Amino acid sequence: MFQLANLSGPFYLLGEGSNTVIVEDYIGTLVLNKMKGITLEESKNSYWLSVASGENWHDLVTWCMDKAIGGFENLALIPGTVGAAPIQNIGAYGVEVSAFIHSVEYYDIEEGAFVTIAGNECLFGYRNSIFKHKLQGRAFITKVNFRLPKHYSLVTHYGELASLCEPNMLDVYAKVVEIRRSKLPDPKFIGNAGSFFKNPVVAKEKATNILEHFPDAPAYPQEDGQIKFAAGWLIEQCGFKGTSLGGVQCHPKQALVLTNYKNASGSDVLTFARKISETVQSKFGICLENEVRLLGRNGLVEL
Ligand code: EPU
C-alpha cells in the first residue's frame, strides 16, 4: 500500500480489467489487484462476509451457493473482481450488489490512510457509486463487507427467470448462468467488456413522447418517476445488431455488447461506439453513456 502512495507518475487501478477498454497505450503504471481472502461469520439472522477485493466475483457467488448462502444467485457469472462490484454497483436480473453491501474498506491514496465507508454512504445508484465520483482515482478498495440475510425472497420477476417453477437459489443461479452463456460472449474467447453502454434513464415527459412514437420500446419505470429504456433495443432498432466496423462487432445476440471480433484497434472501438451513440441520439433523441471505462493515453476518456 505504501508503495502505491510512493508511485511516481500516474497510475490506474485495475481489477481483472473486465470493464475497462484500453483504447490507447496508457503512459502510467497499471496496478493489478491480487488481494485474496474470504472470512465468514454467522449471527442469528445473517451471514457476514468479509472479502478481499482481488477475489473473483463469480467464484465468490459459487462459493456462497456451495455453502447454501443465498442472495448473490442473480449476480452469477458477472466477470471481474469483488473490489470492482461496489464501484459499478454491479447488477443483473433484478438485483444490485448494493443491497448486500454493509461497508467498503479502502486505502485513501490522497490521505495515505485506511478508511471504512458504510454501504449507505456509498451513494449507490444504477451502475453508480461514490467511487465513480468523489472517490474516483483516490480509493483503492481493499475489502468489501457483505451482510446476507438468512431469510429473504428470491428475485425471479426478471425476464426468463419468471418461467422457473418454485425455484430454489440453485435453480436461479443455474438459470442465470444459462441465460448469460446463451446471450453474452465469453470474454475468455472473444474480447468484450459486457454492456458497452448504460441503459439510459430519461424524464417521464420525454419518455412518454418517445413511447408515443415507439410503443414497443421496452421501458422500465424507476422509483424516482423517470423511465429507463433498454439500450440494446434502441441500438438494434438503429440496425447495428450483428454489424461491424473495423475489427469491432455489435454482438448478434445482444446489441448492447461490442466485441473485439477481428484485431480491433482502440480507435475502431471509439469510432463505432460514437457512431452508434449518434445514430441513437438522432433517431430517439436519447443520449447513450458508456458503461465501460475507456482508458486513454493519459487516463480515463469520455466517449
Ligand atoms: N433487447 C433487444 N435487443 C438486444 C438486446 C436487448 O431488443 O439486442 C431488449 C430485450 O429483448 C429486453 C431488453 O432489451 O426486452 C433488456 O434486455 P436484457 O434483459 O438482455 O438486459 P439489458 O438491459 O440489455 C442489463 C444489464 C446487463 C444484465 C442484464 C440482465 C446494463 C447496462 N446491462 O442488460 O449487465 O446482465 O440487464 O439483468 O444495465 C453488464 O452490465 O455488463 C451487463 C451484461
Side-chain angles (χ1 to χ4, degrees), residues 1-9 11 107 109:
M1 277 309 150
F2 290 110
Q3 285 180 354
L4 194 60
N6 291 338
L7 264 181
S8 60
F11 59 90
Y107 178 73
I109 293 159

Side-chain angles (χ1 to χ4, degrees), residues 18-185:
S18 54
N19 205 44
T20 298
V21 182
I22 301 179
V23 290
E24 286 170 337
D25 289 342
Y26 177 57
I27 56 162
T29 307
L30 283 178
V31 179
L32 284 181
N33 181 350
K34 297 286 176 196
M35 283 186 275
K36 302 282 181 196
I38 305 176
T39 58
L40 169 64
E41 284 176 24
E42 201 177 330
S43 61
K44 186 164 170 253
N45 296 317
S46 303
Y47 294 107
W48 300 84
L49 278 175
S50 245
V51 188
S53 54
E55 289 284 347
N56 174 273
W57 174 262
H58 177 68
D59 289 349
L60 174 67
V61 176
T62 307
W63 187 91
C64 288
M65 294 298 114
D66 289 345
K67 295 193 155 32
I69 298 173
F72 291 153
E73 51 281 351
N74 297 49
L75 305 176
L77 223 59
I78 295 182
T81 56
V82 168
I87 301 177
Q88 279 289 100
N89 186 16
I90 57 170
Y93 308 100
V95 173
E96 288 182 341
V97 74
S98 52
F100 305 104
I101 293 181
H102 179 257
S103 62
V104 177
E105 297 179 31
Y106 64 91
Y107 178 73
D108 187 320
I109 293 159
E110 274 178 29
E111 299 288 330
F114 289 93
V115 180
T116 300
I117 180 171
N120 61 13
E121 291 171 357
C122 291
L123 308 180
F124 287 123
Y126 166 60
R127 295 295 193 276
N128 215 347
S129 73
I130 194 167
F131 303 105
K132 289 177 107 177
H133 300 280
K134 193 173 152 201
L135 295 178
Q136 172 154 329
R138 175 172 164 179
F140 186 116
I141 295 176
T142 53
K143 208 183 262 183
V144 185
N145 301 312
F146 300 97
R147 173 181 169 266
L148 292 142
K150 290 184 179 174
H151 304 288
Y152 75 105
S153 303
L154 291 171
V155 178
T156 55
H157 63 267
Y158 190 98
E160 293 164 58
L161 294 186
S163 64
L164 292 171
C165 184
E166 296 185 22
N168 59 32
M169 73 170 87
L170 290 176
D171 299 327
V172 175
Y173 169 85
K175 189 69 186 173
V176 168
V177 169
E178 182 193 317
I179 301 170
R180 290 188 78 100
R181 288 219 167 106
S182 71
K183 279 194 192 171
L184 298 168

Side-chain angles (χ1 to χ4, degrees), residues 91-93 126-127 158 180 183-184 193-195 197-199 218 220 230 232-233 236 241 254-256 291:
Y93 308 100
Y126 166 60
R127 295 295 193 276
Y158 190 98
R180 290 188 78 100
K183 279 194 192 171
L184 298 168
S195 301
F197 299 99
K198 282 191 208 174
N199 284 327
Y220 313 97
W233 186 91
E236 181 172 350
K241 194 169 182 172
Q254 165 52 289
L256 196 44
E291 201 257 2

